[in-house]
Amino acid sequence: MSENRDWRPGASAGALAARARMLQGLRAFFAARGVLEVETPVLARAASTDVHLESLEVGDARGEVGYLHTSPEFFMKRLLAAGSGPVYQVARVFRAGEIGRWHNPEFTMLEWYRPGFDLDQLMDEVEALLRHLAHDMPVQPGPTRKLGYRQAFVEHVGIDPWTADKDALARCAGRHGLDVEHGEDLGRDDWLDLLFSSVLAPRLPQDGFTFVHGFPPSQAALAKKTVRDGFEVAARFELFWGELELANGFDELQDAEEQALRFAADNAERERRGLPAMPPDERLIGALRVGLPACAGVAVGLDRLLARLLGAGRLDEVLAFGFDRV
């Protein structure tokens, strides 16, 4: 009988040691800046309503349903509303159906919130942290660039994402060689996401960090909306190293009624797509009504970051046990 080798870890001893150094480094970084480390529940009664995320559902012997969180965001905002001040968390998070070269259903997320920060200050702190963590790693990131979403689309995709309708976006995708034959069910944001991931992201500089900021207002998620150059935009950014997304940051929405409307709109869209509606977090709405301080927050995928810093070609090279080994 041949040996079953699936019991072995996917990450090398060196990768495991590098992960430990990375965690030590980020804790030292935040301690020096007076940001408090917190822990919040992994199991919640509410779930993400985001149409692009699927929560893992769990039940107990009493038949109560709970969800493994996709992010600690809701709990951390409740801490902020209660007066915690700046906070960060290294959390295990879960997303159903996400498995592949750069995805695993369970992964490690670093999330932090900075009362009083704007997006430029938060982008600067994200860069400072990542360069701090990279100082003794095999791969060093190159220059950092900041790029507006609309500018990036015009330059690299050849279309204005604010004025183009769904049909124009579909034609643009066809010109770039993407399969548009079965795109009749795609919405406008779906076409934008497809063009971003398939055309724009591969054209970002491969050697360093790129902050893409000022997303379409329809993609605000839990961020505020603002006006820039005469156009309404979502006050958020995504950070890429090459074409790989590492982080997602928001100027956080403080309006409880607007947040409730967005949860409802998400669930309506989920139902339109044949997805189950998810229970929104009413306790978060309660916290927003009391008052979330003006703040910026960001989530960083630590496994992806570590893979880039080690020059790994897949996420499971830096995971002790990826999903194929559990």
Side-chain angles (χ1 to χ4, degrees):
M1 179 180 293
S2 61
E3 179 188 3
N4 183 337
R5 301 178 63 86
D6 285 348
W7 65 268
R8 298 181 182 276
S12 67
L16 295 176
R19 179 183 289 271
R21 293 197 307 274
M22 179 177 69
L23 293 172
Q24 291 168 357
L26 73 85
R27 287 188 165 101
F29 179 90
F30 285 120
R33 293 180 176 227
V35 183
L36 178 70
E37 182 173 11
V38 297
E39 290 185 336
T40 57
V42 170
L43 181 62
R45 290 189 175 91
S48 173
T49 60
D50 192 317
V51 298
H52 301 295
L53 299 179
E54 289 302 318
S55 300
L56 282 167
E57 182 178 314
V58 297
D60 64 17
R62 298 173 298 177
E64 291 190 16
V65 172
Y67 301 89
L68 299 178
H69 68 176
T70 59
S71 159
E73 178 170 3
F74 296 169
F75 286 120
M76 294 181 75
K77 286 181 174 177
R78 287 165 61 183
L79 292 177
L80 289 162
S84 66
V87 289
Y88 80 95
Q89 181 169 183
V90 178
R92 303 295 289 178
V93 299
F94 303 83
R95 297 182 180 181
E98 295 197 7
I99 187 166
R101 181 184 178 192
W102 295 113
H103 293 85
N104 197 67
E106 178 182 1
F107 60 99
T108 304
M109 177 183 288
L110 166 65
E111 190 150 337
W112 78 94
Y113 292 86
R114 282 297 218 153
F117 269 37
D118 61 24
L119 282 186
D120 284 323
Q121 290 172 299
L122 186 60
M123 284 189 275
D124 290 345
E125 186 163 71
V126 171
E127 180 187 4
L129 171 64
L130 268 54
R131 293 194 182 280
H132 172 76
L133 299 180
H135 78 279
D136 63 347
M137 296 292 188
V139 179
Q140 296 296 304
T144 296
R145 304 163 180 89
K146 294 181 180 178
L147 185 63
Y149 182 103
R150 184 168 181 244
Q151 173 192 352
F153 254 83
V154 171
E155 292 181 0
H156 296 297
V157 185
I159 197 166
D160 188 330
W162 262 256
T163 60
D165 62 18
K166 186 172 77 169
D167 291 339
L169 293 171
R171 291 193 297 271
C172 179
R175 290 195 298 271
H176 284 284
L178 303 182
D179 181 9
V180 299
E181 184 177 353
H182 303 292
E184 60 274 2
D185 291 332
L186 295 182
R188 190 172 181 279
D189 279 320
D190 296 320
W191 284 113
L192 288 173
D193 288 344
L194 179 63
L195 288 165
F196 192 109
S197 61
S198 301
V199 180
L200 197 161
R203 300 183 182 190
L204 296 176
Q206 297 299 301
D207 59 337
F209 300 137
T210 303
F211 287 96
V212 180
H213 57 86
F215 279 66
S218 56
Q219 298 181 23
L222 281 81
K224 291 179 179 177
K225 297 177 185 179
T226 187
V227 175
R228 181 179 300 160
D229 299 326
F231 291 89
E232 187 178 45
V233 301
R236 53 175 289 238
F237 66 80
E238 291 183 2
L239 170 64
F240 295 82
W241 188 344
E243 64 184 275
L244 185 65
E245 181 190 347
L246 296 181
N248 193 355
F250 295 166
D251 185 350
E252 302 294 345
L253 181 65
Q254 298 168 268
D255 187 322
E257 306 315 315
E258 173 65 19
Q259 185 61 75
L261 289 172
R262 292 190 193 180
F263 282 155
D266 283 349
N267 270 331
E269 178 63 15
R270 290 181 68 86
E271 291 177 350
R272 188 191 72 80
R273 297 180 182 218
L275 300 171
M278 305 305 287
D281 194 329
E282 298 295 344
R283 289 185 172 91
L284 172 64
I285 300 300
L288 294 180
R289 288 196 176 107
V290 170
L292 179 72
C295 62
V298 63
V300 178
L302 288 182
D303 305 311
R304 287 185 177 186
L305 173 61
L306 181 60
R308 273 287 192 247
L309 292 172
L310 296 180
R314 296 180 58 86
L315 202 66
D316 55 18
E317 293 181 48
V318 299
L319 302 177
F321 300 102
F323 192 67
D324 290 340
R325 296 174 184 265
V326 300

